[in-house]
Amino acid sequence: MSIRVTSWLESLQAHGYRLTEARRAVVEVVATSKRALSPLEVYEIARRRYPALGLVSVYRTLEMLSALHLVQRVHQEDGCNAYLPSLEGHQHLLICERCRRVEYFDGDDLEALFARVGEQTGFEIRSHWLQLFGLCQACKQAVS
Amino acid sequence: MSIRVTSWLESLQAHGYRLTEARRAVVEVVATSKRALSPLEVYEIARRRYPALGLVSVYRTLEMLSALHLVQRVHQEDGCNAYLPSLEGHQHLLICERCRRVEYFDGDDLEALFARVGEQTGFEIRSHWLQLFGLCQACKQAVS
DNA sequence: CATAGAATTGAAAACGGTTTTCAGTATGAG
DNA sequence: CTCATACTGAAAACCGTTTTCAATTCTATG
């Protein structure tokens, strides 16, 4: 059992949520995924180990995990309802356009840019959003 | 009449689309907006000058403008279906969280970061997506 | 300017993903 | 073990978007 699964389940419990089979199944799928998954994908995968699962519970669990900042929503050209584990402090994503695999990277050097833009525009910058898209090593070779 | 409105209409015509009242109304609203507008917002505003307009035509016109790269879709926490004029070469957005006004800025200094991330991960980076969120000068004062 | 034929229109129906409702069930505190 | 209640899945409702379709509007051509 992945350490992340355990930690998410503890986190849910610590916030007063009950640990149910439905939630366990959803957490196990999302916490260990290396790709961003849509609610329907989570549903289909999680149902392999807990066939009684309802799609509604997937939505509800994703909402909780999102509120606890354990998962983040990923936006792409072809849809904005995919979820991915949130790694503390590594908020930027690099997504393979072919296989959808995601890598995390940090963007420390962005602070200077933000400061400059804030100064030029008079905005108080409060958050940002950076995603890169491309081909992962495996897909790069597969395509060529 | 804004230069951008004229230019968009010419662009539509040059691509074989007819110039109709519905399209004119939609183009006039979107091309001159400083905020990202949802299809429904476009519809409501455009109907002031062309009441016969149907919501369907808004969707269809936005799709065309998007295909011609004249508008871009803006993604935000609370929705991903807002459209904004695309300014050639200035692809990054700074969005006011309060009034939704948008500023454009360029992010030339990002190339180095992309190169570094590409090298570290083995990805071939093909595109990117950067948005900043904050408070514009006016809203900064209004809030405090 | 008039005509004809194709592109375009708006209304309504269909669609698909998400949310709400609800009666039954499983959880976990005591 | 018992009980109150959080939680469940199914079905219905919802809502933004897309499709369908008959009527209308453009615009190329004569």
Side-chain angles (χ1 to χ4, degrees):
Chain A
M1 163 95 68
S2 147
I3 173 77
R4 198 183 291 153
V5 171
T6 315
S7 135
W8 285 18
L9 291 174
E10 282 166 1
S11 206
L12 283 177
Q13 204 162 32
H15 283 83
Y17 296 114
R18 289 185 181 171
L19 294 189
T20 67
E21 280 311 299
R23 285 175 191 166
R24 263 186 259 268
V26 171
V27 164
E28 283 175 22
V29 169
V30 182
T32 59
S33 177
K34 296 214 175 290
R35 301 193 312 119
L37 300 174
S38 70
L40 194 61
E41 287 173 315
V42 173
Y43 174 64
E44 282 164 357
I45 299 170
R47 230 164 31 140
R48 288 185 206 145
R49 57 164 65 217
Y50 181 57
L53 179 66
L55 179 55
V56 197
S57 286
V58 175
Y59 278 99
R60 288 191 278 228
T61 306
L62 285 173
E63 199 181 338
M64 278 171 206
L65 295 174
S66 188
L68 298 180
H69 299 103
L70 297 174
V71 301
Q72 61 187 307
R73 198 176 188 154
V74 175
H75 299 252
Q76 286 181 265
E77 283 305 331
D78 60 342
C80 305
N81 264 330
Y83 294 83
L84 204 64
S86 277
L87 306 192
E88 183 95 29
H90 291 246
Q91 341 203 26
H92 303 121
L93 303 179
L94 169 52
I95 304 171
C96 177
E97 291 174 333
R98 188 164 172 277
C99 71
R100 299 256 189 151
R101 187 189 173 88
V102 173
E103 295 281 344
Y104 301 79
F105 68 93
D106 58 2
D108 301 332
D109 11 5
L110 291 170
E111 296 308 328
L113 169 64
F114 299 162
R116 200 197 76 209
V117 173
E119 211 166 296
Q120 283 174 359
T121 58
F123 269 58
E124 174 189 324
I125 292 171
R126 297 183 146 188
S127 64
H128 60 271
W129 220 17
L130 172 62
Q131 283 180 24
L132 309 191
F133 301 93
L135 288 177
C136 73
Q137 215 148 20
C139 290
K140 216 159 55 176
Q141 289 161 5
V143 164
S144 64
Chain B
M1 165 93 68
S2 147
I3 174 76
R4 197 181 293 153
V5 172
T6 316
S7 136
W8 286 17
L9 291 175
E10 281 167 1
S11 206
L12 283 177
Q13 203 162 34
H15 284 82
Y17 296 115
R18 291 185 179 171
L19 293 189
T20 66
E21 279 313 298
R23 286 175 189 167
R24 264 187 259 268
V26 171
V27 164
E28 283 174 22
V29 169
V30 182
T32 60
S33 177
K34 296 214 175 289
R35 300 194 313 119
L37 300 174
S38 70
L40 193 61
E41 286 174 314
V42 173
Y43 174 62
E44 281 162 359
I45 299 171
R47 232 166 28 143
R48 288 185 205 145
R49 57 164 64 220
Y50 182 57
L53 180 65
L55 180 54
V56 197
S57 286
V58 174
Y59 278 97
R60 288 191 278 228
T61 307
L62 285 173
E63 198 182 338
M64 277 171 206
L65 295 173
S66 187
L68 298 180
H69 299 103
L70 296 174
V71 302
Q72 61 187 307
R73 199 175 188 154
V74 175
H75 298 251
Q76 286 179 266
E77 282 305 330
D78 60 341
C80 306
N81 264 329
Y83 294 82
L84 204 64
S86 279
L87 306 191
E88 184 97 29
H90 292 247
Q91 342 202 26
H92 302 121
L93 303 179
L94 170 52
I95 304 171
C96 178
E97 291 175 332
R98 189 165 171 278
C99 72
R100 299 257 190 151
R101 187 188 172 89
V102 173
E103 294 282 343
Y104 300 79
F105 68 93
D106 58 2
D108 302 331
D109 12 5
L110 291 169
E111 296 307 329
L113 170 64
F114 299 162
R116 201 198 73 209
V117 173
E119 212 166 297
Q120 282 175 359
T121 59
F123 270 60
E124 175 189 323
I125 292 171
R126 296 184 147 187
S127 64
H128 61 272
W129 216 17
L130 172 63
Q131 283 180 23
L132 309 191
F133 301 93
L135 288 177
C136 72
Q137 214 146 21
C139 289
K140 216 159 55 177
Q141 289 160 5
V143 164
S144 64

